[in-house]
Amino acid sequence: MSSFERGDYTFEVSLHAINGLDPREGLLISLLKDLRIYDKLRPIRLDPMYKAFFPDFSMVVPADADEYRDLLIKKFPHEKEGIDSFYAEIGHLLTVMDAHTLITKGEYLSGIWKMISNPRAMVTVISCVNFTMAEFLDRFFTDEALRTVMAAYTGMLGDGPDNIAGMIFAGMWAAYHNNGCYYLEGGSQSISSALEEVIRKNGGEILLSTRVTKILIEDGRAAGVRTRDGESFRSRYVISNANALDTLFKLVGREHLPREYSEDLEKMEVGAAAFTVYMGVDKDYREYFPGNTHTLIVMPSFDTEENFRPMREGDISRVMFGIANYTKTD
């Protein structure tokens, strides 16, 4: 959630899009209001979501779920039954997401009733948990090109369909296409800046360039942090956005973790690697980005795993990649 400047250029660090900001259905709005930053943000709706290039065709992907379904059926009429089934499963998943939102808002009875009144929704969630993304897509589609189309945005999840949980993919797909796909005026830095304003206004202090070397543990709970220069800060909660292995093994320490839990952590594998080139140009390329989108995605192969294998092998000549032109939307 940051940006940086080089000369006359401002670069977005990483955010392509944020979901859950549709006025009626947005799952994120209540959280941003609780943080008192919602009114400080100016969301920009992305539509289409992106344009994707495949080996022998390209596709402009609508943000709206129903428009996307019509486009998929037009492009792959022989897969209509599978497309309809996929959308039905996503609808069940949305029921669970809506119930979860109600519960987090404190509307417990409404949330629980929404859940138990649609038992098929719970079956869908369980099935997503037990399948990889590739297996989940295989339940609906036989056309390899269609499976690749559905996987075009998977790069945002950090690995290929064989290594991503079906639930993670289905949740992301449903959130973007049903709860809105947005960028923010001023880029993702606008969220960090809004949070900073609220923290300082309420007497908080922000220490930049301050490395934490230890999470303090007392009576089995996180009780604060210690920095590299030896200062300690006590707190009720500690939040780390470092990866799980560094957070738990280096900052917390194995001595505070159950043995079985440590063994599970050690089985974790690093996801596919990616790198970003930040490029300032002296030409206006907006005509190449349709509608109100800033993202192009290039998928070199219809073999979805083949699109990710070069990322693991470090072969940059064959990787799938995206081009983001934030000037188009901001």
Side-chain angles (χ1 to χ4, degrees), residues 186-305:
S188 63
Q189 179 64 45
S190 62
I191 288 186
S192 295
S193 297
L195 283 168
E196 176 190 19
E197 182 181 335
V198 170
I199 289 169
R200 294 191 189 281
K201 183 178 179 181
N202 287 275
E205 184 179 359
I206 297 173
L207 303 178
L208 302 177
S209 302
T210 304
R211 175 173 294 183
V212 168
T213 56
K214 200 68 179 173
I215 294 176
L216 305 175
I217 305 295
E218 295 178 1
D219 298 325
R221 295 178 59 87
V225 298
R226 182 181 300 121
T227 65
R228 181 167 52 184
D229 60 12
E231 280 196 275
S232 293
F233 298 89
R234 301 187 63 79
S235 60
R236 186 182 303 172
Y237 303 107
V238 174
I239 301 171
S240 169
N241 76 338
N243 66 75
L245 298 183
D246 284 343
T247 297
L248 293 162
F249 286 157
K250 294 182 180 179
L251 298 180
V252 172
R254 293 172 184 266
E255 67 273 17
H256 297 294
L257 303 174
R259 181 175 57 83
E260 296 84 359
Y261 185 58
S262 294
E263 291 173 352
D264 285 342
L265 287 171
E266 288 172 335
K267 296 175 185 175
M268 295 179 69
E269 297 180 8
V270 176
F275 68 93
T276 303
V277 175
Y278 298 101
M279 186 181 297
V281 296
D282 58 1
K283 179 180 177 179
D284 189 342
Y285 285 97
R286 282 179 288 187
E287 64 180 285
Y288 297 96
F289 295 77
N292 193 35
T293 186
H294 54 228
T295 300
L296 308 177
I297 297 174
V298 179
M299 303 283 278
S301 171
F302 281 129
D303 181 338
T304 52
E305 269 307 299

